[in-house]
PDB file of all heavy atoms in Angstrom:
ATOM      1  N   GLY A 447     -82.462 -13.026 -36.696  1.00  0.00           N
ATOM      2  CA  GLY A 447     -81.631 -12.941 -37.909  1.00  0.00           C
ATOM      3  C   GLY A 447     -80.173 -12.789 -37.554  1.00  0.00           C
ATOM      4  O   GLY A 447     -79.790 -12.332 -36.443  1.00  0.00           O
ATOM      5  N   LYS A 448     -79.282 -13.101 -38.469  1.00  0.00           N
ATOM      6  CA  LYS A 448     -77.848 -12.972 -38.228  1.00  0.00           C
ATOM      7  C   LYS A 448     -77.416 -11.552 -38.484  1.00  0.00           C
ATOM      8  O   LYS A 448     -77.821 -10.916 -39.482  1.00  0.00           O
ATOM      9  CB  LYS A 448     -77.044 -13.927 -39.077  1.00  0.00           C
ATOM     10  CG  LYS A 448     -77.267 -15.348 -38.784  1.00  0.00           C
ATOM     11  CD  LYS A 448     -76.435 -16.274 -39.676  1.00  0.00           C
ATOM     12  CE  LYS A 448     -76.660 -17.717 -39.314  1.00  0.00           C
ATOM     13  NZ  LYS A 448     -75.862 -18.661 -40.167  1.00  0.00           N
ATOM     14  N   GLU A 449     -76.615 -10.974 -37.575  1.00  0.00           N
ATOM     15  CA  GLU A 449     -76.130  -9.637 -37.776  1.00  0.00           C
ATOM     16  C   GLU A 449     -75.049  -9.601 -38.875  1.00  0.00           C
ATOM     17  O   GLU A 449     -74.120 -10.394 -38.823  1.00  0.00           O
ATOM     18  CB  GLU A 449     -75.517  -9.113 -36.466  1.00  0.00           C
ATOM     19  CG  GLU A 449     -76.544  -8.928 -35.361  1.00  0.00           C
ATOM     20  CD  GLU A 449     -75.915  -8.473 -34.095  1.00  0.00           C
ATOM     21  OE1 GLU A 449     -74.658  -8.411 -34.025  1.00  0.00           O
ATOM     22  OE2 GLU A 449     -76.640  -8.136 -33.147  1.00  0.00           O
ATOM     23  N   ARG A 450     -75.181  -8.723 -39.813  1.00  0.00           N
ATOM     24  CA  ARG A 450     -74.235  -8.618 -40.912  1.00  0.00           C
ATOM     25  C   ARG A 450     -73.925  -7.180 -41.180  1.00  0.00           C
ATOM     26  O   ARG A 450     -74.788  -6.307 -40.994  1.00  0.00           O
ATOM     27  CB  ARG A 450     -74.763  -9.253 -42.163  1.00  0.00           C
ATOM     28  CG  ARG A 450     -74.957 -10.728 -42.081  1.00  0.00           C
ATOM     29  CD  ARG A 450     -75.451 -11.264 -43.447  1.00  0.00           C
ATOM     30  NE  ARG A 450     -74.496 -10.996 -44.478  1.00  0.00           N
ATOM     31  CZ  ARG A 450     -74.757 -11.154 -45.757  1.00  0.00           C
ATOM     32  NH1 ARG A 450     -75.913 -11.610 -46.121  1.00  0.00           N
ATOM     33  NH2 ARG A 450     -73.862 -10.876 -46.664  1.00  0.00           N
ATOM     34  N   LYS A 451     -72.699  -6.908 -41.551  1.00  0.00           N
ATOM     35  CA  LYS A 451     -72.327  -5.595 -41.957  1.00  0.00           C
ATOM     36  C   LYS A 451     -72.182  -5.565 -43.479  1.00  0.00           C
ATOM     37  O   LYS A 451     -71.251  -6.142 -44.044  1.00  0.00           O
ATOM     38  CB  LYS A 451     -70.996  -5.149 -41.313  1.00  0.00           C
ATOM     39  CG  LYS A 451     -70.601  -3.714 -41.695  1.00  0.00           C
ATOM     40  CD  LYS A 451     -69.325  -3.310 -40.988  1.00  0.00           C
ATOM     41  CE  LYS A 451     -68.957  -1.895 -41.352  1.00  0.00           C
ATOM     42  NZ  LYS A 451     -67.683  -1.471 -40.703  1.00  0.00           N
ATOM     43  N   GLU A 452     -73.167  -4.977 -44.122  1.00  0.00           N
ATOM     44  CA  GLU A 452     -73.182  -4.972 -45.587  1.00  0.00           C
ATOM     45  C   GLU A 452     -72.154  -3.993 -46.098  1.00  0.00           C
ATOM     46  O   GLU A 452     -71.888  -2.949 -45.494  1.00  0.00           O
ATOM     47  CB  GLU A 452     -74.631  -4.625 -46.090  1.00  0.00           C
ATOM     48  CG  GLU A 452     -75.701  -5.546 -45.667  1.00  0.00           C
ATOM     49  CD  GLU A 452     -75.559  -6.877 -46.396  1.00  0.00           C
ATOM     50  OE1 GLU A 452     -74.775  -6.961 -47.356  1.00  0.00           O
ATOM     51  OE2 GLU A 452     -76.270  -7.837 -45.974  1.00  0.00           O
ATOM     52  N   LYS A 453     -71.632  -4.253 -47.290  1.00  0.00           N
ATOM     53  CA  LYS A 453     -70.690  -3.346 -47.944  1.00  0.00           C
ATOM     54  C   LYS A 453     -71.505  -2.163 -48.493  1.00  0.00           C
ATOM     55  O   LYS A 453     -72.670  -2.348 -48.952  1.00  0.00           O
ATOM     56  CB  LYS A 453     -69.948  -4.080 -49.045  1.00  0.00           C
ATOM     57  CG  LYS A 453     -68.963  -5.116 -48.524  1.00  0.00           C
ATOM     58  CD  LYS A 453     -68.216  -5.768 -49.696  1.00  0.00           C
ATOM     59  CE  LYS A 453     -67.257  -6.813 -49.141  1.00  0.00           C
ATOM     60  NZ  LYS A 453     -66.569  -7.543 -50.198  1.00  0.00           N
ATOM     61  N   ASP A 454     -70.914  -0.989 -48.482  1.00  0.00           N
ATOM     62  CA  ASP A 454     -71.599   0.187 -49.003  1.00  0.00           C
ATOM     63  C   ASP A 454     -71.656   0.103 -50.522  1.00  0.00           C
ATOM     64  O   ASP A 454     -70.906  -0.615 -51.166  1.00  0.00           O
ATOM     65  CB  ASP A 454     -70.937   1.447 -48.499  1.00  0.00           C
ATOM     66  CG  ASP A 454     -69.510   1.581 -48.940  1.00  0.00           C
ATOM     67  OD1 ASP A 454     -69.258   1.721 -50.170  1.00  0.00           O
ATOM     68  OD2 ASP A 454     -68.609   1.483 -48.086  1.00  0.00           O
ATOM     69  N   ALA A 455     -72.511   0.965 -51.073  1.00  0.00           N
ATOM     70  CA  ALA A 455     -72.754   0.949 -52.508  1.00  0.00           C
ATOM     71  C   ALA A 455     -71.526   1.324 -53.294  1.00  0.00           C
ATOM     72  O   ALA A 455     -71.251   0.724 -54.392  1.00  0.00           O
ATOM     73  CB  ALA A 455     -73.886   1.918 -52.853  1.00  0.00           C
ATOM     74  N   ASP A 456     -70.709   2.223 -52.798  1.00  0.00           N
ATOM     75  CA  ASP A 456     -69.462   2.622 -53.488  1.00  0.00           C
ATOM     76  C   ASP A 456     -68.489   1.441 -53.595  1.00  0.00           C
ATOM     77  O   ASP A 456     -67.876   1.259 -54.645  1.00  0.00           O
ATOM     78  CB  ASP A 456     -68.818   3.792 -52.765  1.00  0.00           C
ATOM     79  CG  ASP A 456     -69.604   5.090 -52.921  1.00  0.00           C
ATOM     80  OD1 ASP A 456     -70.454   5.152 -53.848  1.00  0.00           O
ATOM     81  OD2 ASP A 456     -69.403   5.977 -52.091  1.00  0.00           O
ATOM     82  N   THR A 457     -68.328   0.688 -52.486  1.00  0.00           N
ATOM     83  CA  THR A 457     -67.432  -0.443 -52.512  1.00  0.00           C
ATOM     84  C   THR A 457     -67.910  -1.533 -53.467  1.00  0.00           C
ATOM     85  O   THR A 457     -67.137  -2.101 -54.262  1.00  0.00           O
ATOM     86  CB  THR A 457     -67.311  -1.046 -51.118  1.00  0.00           C
ATOM     87  OG1 THR A 457     -66.786  -0.065 -50.213  1.00  0.00           O
ATOM     88  CG2 THR A 457     -66.336  -2.267 -51.109  1.00  0.00           C
TER      89      THR A 457
END
Side-chain angles (χ1 to χ4, degrees):
K448 293 181 179 180
E449 294 179 352
R450 295 182 58 190
K451 183 178 180 180
E452 298 290 348
K453 293 181 180 178
D454 60 69
D456 290 339
T457 300

